[in-house]
Amino acid sequence: MMKKLWMISLLLFSVTVHAEDIYITIGSDAVNLSQKSLLEIDVIESTPEISVLKIDSSAVEALSVLMHDKFNRCGGFIVHDSEEEALSVLKNNLARTTAKSLSFLNYTITEGERVESMISQIKENMIRDMIIKLSDFKNRYYKSQTGIDSQAYIKKTWENLSVGRSDVKVEYVEHSRWPQPSVVMTVEGTVNKDEIIVIGGHADSIAGFWGRKNARAPGADDNASGIATITEIIRV
């Protein structure tokens, strides 16, 4: 009877911890070590620069730690909604690489005076204060309430900086696999509106193997400093 109960418990545990397969793009230089260090990783397709992997979703946090410790990359990979989406990224990157090999972009720096003027407006204390405020959250872990609350703080800060601007919007991007949303500010251009410049950084802090949502993970330099820098860029 005990053996039967043990077998049933083991079966239920196996069902409970089973996770879904997800598809990621990652730097090809990290593939070999990832395969040696983690289970449930399959290479779908690869180029010298980027590879598409299928991994068990339960291995995402372990992979993030590996990339952080061994490659000094925060995250270091992108999770995609489908295999098709991941492969399209690979295809687009290959096309860009081919185009670069065929032509060289010539350009002239013309806005030096404007840039110098803007740099002079940067205030160190504004960056430091934002780092301190984000670090005051217990953590910014992507599955924690404080991870959600810290994003709300960033969103409100950016909204306050854009008051009176009809060409600026600040919004959440919700995610189906975790509760912490991303925050996106869009500033519309007046010319060449099809050209998009992206300035970004991750706002969460890693706490996955050290208590998860209950851990103290201020993440001052990883990556409150990056978000503080972006915030000062917005202000200026």
Side-chain angles (χ1 to χ4, degrees):
M1 181 64 179
M2 287 299 294
K3 183 177 180 180
K4 185 176 182 181
L5 287 173
W6 179 81
M7 291 298 291
I8 292 173
S9 298
L10 181 62
L11 177 61
L12 289 173
F13 177 76
S14 298
V15 171
T16 301
V17 300
H18 177 70
E20 62 178 328
D21 289 331
I22 59 176
Y23 295 90
I24 68 169
T25 47
I26 191 170
S28 294
D29 60 338
V31 171
N32 287 339
L33 183 57
S34 299
Q35 286 183 306
K36 291 177 181 177
S37 304
L38 304 171
L39 299 175
E40 304 298 328
I41 291 184
D42 296 323
V43 180
I44 303 301
E45 196 167 327
S46 185
T47 70
E49 292 183 339
I50 298 177
S51 294
V52 174
L53 307 183
K54 181 175 75 172
I55 71 171
D56 193 288
S57 61
S58 63
V60 166
E61 290 179 2
L63 179 58
S64 179
V65 172
L66 178 70
M67 295 300 293
H68 195 272
D69 291 347
K70 301 299 183 182
F71 293 92
N72 298 317
R73 298 171 189 170
C74 292
F77 56 91
I78 298 174
V79 177
H80 298 277
D81 290 332
S82 66
E83 179 180 3
E84 290 73 22
E85 179 184 291
L87 288 171
S88 70
V89 170
L90 197 74
K91 181 179 178 181
N92 291 337
N93 182 74
L94 189 60
R96 287 195 298 270
T97 302
T98 302
K100 286 180 181 178
S101 66
L102 296 176
S103 63
F104 182 79
L105 179 63
N106 291 313
Y107 63 89
T108 302
I109 296 175
T110 60
E111 303 301 321
E113 186 175 339
R114 178 183 297 183
V115 170
E116 289 295 332
S117 174
M118 295 177 77
I119 289 175
S120 69
Q121 299 175 50
I122 293 172
K123 296 180 180 179
E124 178 271 340
N125 66 295
M126 300 293 288
I127 299 174
R128 175 162 35 86
D129 288 349
M130 187 66 173
I131 293 172
I132 291 171
K133 287 172 182 175
L134 290 176
S135 301
D136 279 344
F137 288 94
K138 183 175 183 179
N139 62 56
R140 299 188 304 280
Y141 183 52
Y142 72 111
K143 291 183 178 179
S144 71
Q145 182 60 47
T146 48
I148 298 170
D149 295 342
S150 59
Q151 292 295 80
Y153 177 77
I154 294 170
K155 183 173 184 286
K156 185 64 177 176
T157 299
W158 290 4
E159 286 172 340
N160 290 339
L161 290 172
S162 60
V163 169
R165 292 283 297 266
S166 60
D167 58 338
V168 177
K169 63 179 179 180
V170 184
E171 56 194 332
Y172 280 139
V173 175
E174 303 289 347
H175 304 286
S176 61
R177 293 190 178 95
W178 55 85
Q180 184 187 51
S182 297
V183 182
V184 177
M185 169 183 273
T186 303
V187 182
E188 293 182 2
T190 54
V191 295
N192 300 327
K193 291 189 175 183
D194 58 329
E195 295 183 6
I196 299 171
I197 299 171
V198 178
I199 302 174
H202 73 86
D204 61 331
S205 60
I206 296 174
F209 281 5
W210 302 279
R212 298 178 183 257
K213 61 185 179 181
N214 295 317
R216 174 73 176 122
D221 192 44
D222 191 7
N223 183 37
S225 58
I227 298 303
T229 301
I230 293 172
T231 302
E232 183 64 356
I233 290 170
I234 293 168
R235 189 191 68 79
V236 170

